[in-house]
Amino acid sequence: MKNKHIKYALLAALLTGAPLYSCTDLDEEVYSEVLGSSYQPTEKDLPAIVAPVYASLRALMLGWQGYFDLQEEAADAIITPVRPNGWDDGGTYRRMHQHTWTALQWQPENAWRQAFASITTVNRVLSQIESGDLPITNGKDATIAELRAVRAFGYYLLLDNHGNVPIVTDFKDVTLPKQSTRKQVYDFVIKELTESLPNLSENATTTYGQMNKWGAKTLLAKIYLNAQVYTGTAEWAKAIQEADDVIKSGKYVLDANYSDVFTWTNFNSKEIIFSIPYDEIYGTGNQIHMKTLDPLSRSVYPMNAGPWGGNCAVPQFIDTYDAEDGRLADTWIMGPQKSAATGAVVITYNKAVPGMDKTTVQDGYRIGKYKIKPNATGSLDNDFPFLRYADVLMIKAEALLRTGKAAEAAELVTQVRQRAFKGNPAKATVTAADLAKGSKYNYGYQATDGSITERQGGDDIRFGRFLDELGWEFAAEAHRRQDLIRFGVYETKKWFNHRPQTGQRALFPIPQNEIDKNPNLDQNPGY
């Protein structure tokens, strides 16, 4: 299996490369002299040179209270209620769910820190290449382009979450950076990706886990899809063009089975365009199973670790699914769970969750999208698919829908749905009229007794049915917050134990600790 070899080559490079750049006690000048005098890298050494950059993305993406939590905890599909074994943690999850965070909230600060840690790592390696301390000859332009594209990825995350952030490209500049506007950050990311494209690899197999041309184009398409949020100006045509380039390349296809994209062998997926590779030994950090499964589930798989039993599905979101949609069972762990050894039921996951502050171990369906192999440790082997071919199809479909081409959009949505309704192909088909409908989500304040008061519904959401389609396809993939913002739901709708807050919550605050260190930073509006 060629892709397996690529993944483990990358992980090996991460192991050999990460120590070179991650130790903050090293004197950079002395190290540069050692590189320049005694280390003459060749093209085969390039994976090890860029490895620290990719290694830094693991903590950024799925690290404790990192980017994944930031996107999902603030949205309407996943919640972390207080459990009998804990999970109050000073109210941090409650604040994320109820949008009552402040500039001291850890999740936004952690995402900021980790994103800038990745950006700083890129800047360091670029500085060493451009100064000649890493004297690369063959492949230099391609390496620089790849590094710039990964740095743009880090800035994209900051653009989406914090908006008005400093743009730092000079590793040796010791002055406190000045703050850029969200529009300036947007322009910078577009420029970096666009200028990198000509020198990025077009190979879809030998670049697994790295940013290639198609990953950069998919990221551009996603940024253009959200351009109206970021800048006030829609860029639907550009989103379509970038998506079309990926589609016409023929490099990627939808996997035959939805679950194949998320299993522990998903390095073989022909759908994944850009992933963050994880491994239970060499690239640890994917702990989604630990954060969602109750400890009693340890015997179900079985696991060589005891999970902690925190987050689960919001019942209102679960109610939007068609019962025959295969993605329901592929995404959520539901109902009785039996011991692998005895066949006895050890726990039953119920859909209902009584509230944020009073739950049992059995309340709430659990995240099961990232398949757990037998004898799994506290870190999954599963790679995290940040960009996949279904993204490309749905980006194009949404842009078409918003530009009056609903019939073409419906064809693409149907294509994505087909594998989810193998037992009933007719249900896979959606029409232009379907996509014009509102959302099936029964928005309203769901109280602790399960009743929905202050009912709003979803009929008034323009293209709400398409928002539903995004929810079903990309649940638990760190998509939901961004989609809710784009569809005007994030700051207007009520859901489980959540009322929209006054002020501007679509941007997270600039961390107060960063403002205290840098007087050039001004706080985002609403904080």
Side-chain angles (χ1 to χ4, degrees):
M1 292 181 292
K2 189 175 183 181
N3 282 359
K4 181 176 181 179
H5 297 313
I6 293 168
K7 173 181 175 177
Y8 284 97
L10 177 60
L11 287 167
L14 296 180
L15 283 173
T16 58
L20 297 178
Y21 303 101
S22 61
C23 180
T24 55
D25 294 331
L26 289 177
D27 185 317
E28 292 297 334
E29 292 302 319
V30 172
Y31 179 59
S32 297
E33 291 172 6
V34 171
L35 281 175
S37 62
S38 62
Y39 178 51
Q40 299 293 320
T42 65
E43 192 170 1
K44 67 180 177 62
D45 299 310
L46 293 183
I49 292 170
V50 302
V53 173
Y54 291 105
S56 70
L57 298 181
R58 292 203 299 268
L60 168 60
M61 193 56 51
L62 297 182
W64 185 257
Q65 297 183 356
Y67 177 81
F68 179 91
D69 290 348
L70 195 63
Q71 305 311 301
E72 297 293 356
E73 295 280 359
D76 64 353
I78 292 174
I79 188 172
T80 302
V82 176
R83 299 287 184 185
N85 64 329
W87 288 96
D88 179 66
D89 293 1
T92 184
Y93 310 110
R94 185 186 306 107
R95 290 191 298 274
M96 286 301 300
H97 183 75
Q98 296 178 339
H99 292 193
T100 56
W101 55 74
T102 69
L104 297 175
Q105 184 79 16
W106 174 244
Q107 288 90 334
E109 181 173 350
N110 193 28
W112 169 292
R113 287 186 178 186
Q114 295 293 347
F116 271 112
S118 295
I119 289 164
T120 299
T121 304
V122 172
N123 288 342
R124 178 165 56 234
V125 178
L126 280 173
S127 176
Q128 291 171 329
I129 293 174
E130 292 167 350
S131 68
D133 291 335
L134 282 172
I136 299 172
T137 52
N138 295 330
K140 179 178 180 180
D141 290 343
T143 301
I144 290 174
E146 182 180 348
L147 289 169
R148 288 178 68 188
V150 178
R151 181 174 63 189
F153 173 72
Y155 269 110
Y156 155 72
L157 300 180
L158 290 166
L159 164 71
D160 190 66
N161 288 282
H162 295 90
N164 308 295
V165 304
I167 297 173
V168 182
T169 59
D170 186 348
F171 176 69
K172 296 182 179 180
D173 187 355
V174 296
T175 61
L176 291 174
K178 295 182 179 180
Q179 192 169 22
S180 298
T181 66
R182 198 180 201 187
K183 175 63 164 59
Q184 289 171 330
V185 179
Y186 171 88
D187 290 340
F188 173 77
V189 173
I190 295 296
K191 177 177 179 291
E192 288 292 290
L193 290 172
T194 302
E195 291 183 356
S196 299
L197 283 174
N199 290 310
L200 289 174
S201 173
E202 297 186 6
N203 195 304
T205 53
T206 61
T207 55
Y208 179 81
Q210 295 176 250
M211 185 65 77
N212 61 21
K213 179 177 181 178
W214 313 115
K217 279 190 165 289
T218 304
L219 185 57
L220 276 169
K222 184 178 284 285
I223 295 169
Y224 287 135
L225 184 72
N226 292 280
Q228 193 166 32
V229 173
Y230 299 152
T231 71
T233 301
E235 296 287 6
W236 310 123
K238 290 182 179 179
I240 292 171
Q241 181 59 63
E242 298 298 341
D244 269 340
D245 287 348
V246 179
I247 294 169
K248 292 175 182 177
S249 75
K251 301 289 185 177
Y252 303 93
V253 296
L254 294 175
D255 282 336
N257 299 308
Y258 184 73
S259 60
D260 290 347
V261 187
F262 310 101
T263 191
W264 57 89
T265 57
N266 62 347
F267 46 77
N268 289 317
S269 170
K270 297 187 181 302
E271 181 170 339
I272 296 175
I273 298 174
F274 178 63
S275 71
I276 314 299
Y278 289 87
D279 181 78
E280 63 182 347
I281 299 173
Y282 302 112
T284 59
N286 186 343
Q287 298 181 321
I288 291 177
H289 62 314
M290 300 294 288
K291 292 162 66 176
T292 192
L293 291 177
D294 184 83
L296 293 173
S297 292
R298 181 175 184 173
S299 65
V300 174
Y301 292 95
M303 294 170 56
N304 290 327
W308 312 314
N311 49 37
C312 63
V314 171
Q316 284 159 290
F317 179 71
I318 294 297
D319 287 340
T320 67
Y321 280 90
D322 185 305
E324 294 185 46
D325 189 336
R327 293 169 296 192
L328 176 60
D330 281 336
T331 303
W332 305 103
I333 300 173
M334 307 172 291
Q337 306 296 303
K338 297 180 180 180
S339 166
T342 67
V345 173
V346 294
I347 190 171
T348 298
Y349 289 129
N350 303 311
K351 181 179 68 174
V353 182
M356 285 290 296
D357 303 318
K358 185 181 179 181
T359 57
T360 73
V361 298
Q362 302 188 84
D363 292 326
Y365 292 164
R366 306 306 166 94
I367 301 171
K369 181 169 247 181
Y370 304 91
K371 305 309 176 188
I372 303 169
K373 74 177 183 181
N375 303 312
T377 67
S379 291
L380 292 179
D381 267 343
N382 315 48
D383 300 338
F384 185 76
F386 191 87
L387 299 171
R388 55 189 180 93
Y389 190 61
D391 276 287
V392 177
L393 297 178
M394 295 298 276
I395 287 170
K396 181 179 179 181
E398 183 177 337
L400 288 169
L401 183 62
R402 292 184 183 274
T403 52
K405 299 176 181 176
E408 293 179 52
E411 292 178 4
L412 291 171
V413 175
T414 297
Q415 183 179 343
V416 172
R417 285 173 59 87
Q418 283 173 339
R419 64 182 171 187
F421 290 92
K422 291 180 179 178
N424 191 343
K427 281 197 172 182
T429 302
V430 295
T431 65
D434 291 329
L435 296 183
K437 297 176 182 177
S439 170
K440 293 184 178 181
Y441 201 115
N442 189 13
Y443 285 101
Y445 189 82
Q446 185 165 356
T448 56
D449 63 359
S451 64
I452 297 178
T453 61
E454 306 168 45
R455 193 180 301 274
Q456 295 173 308
D459 288 343
D460 61 329
I461 300 172
R462 186 169 184 248
F463 304 132
R465 170 59 189 272
F466 192 90
L467 175 62
D468 292 345
E469 294 288 350
L470 293 174
W472 301 325
E473 180 65 23
F474 300 110
E477 291 184 55
H479 272 240
R480 190 63 174 174
R481 168 189 161 271
Q482 185 183 89
D483 294 340
L484 292 182
I485 292 171
R486 199 171 59 254
F487 280 80
V489 172
Y490 189 71
E491 294 183 292
T492 62
K493 291 292 190 181
K494 303 166 187 175
W495 53 81
F496 182 84
N497 287 194
H498 163 94
R499 293 185 179 93
Q501 298 298 308
T502 57
Q504 299 174 339
R505 297 279 128 171
L507 277 180
F508 290 109
I510 307 298
Q512 187 61 46
N513 289 328
E514 299 300 321
I515 292 176
D516 292 343
K517 291 185 293 186
N518 184 355
N520 294 327
L521 299 179
D522 292 324
Q523 187 55 270
N524 282 334
Y527 297 101

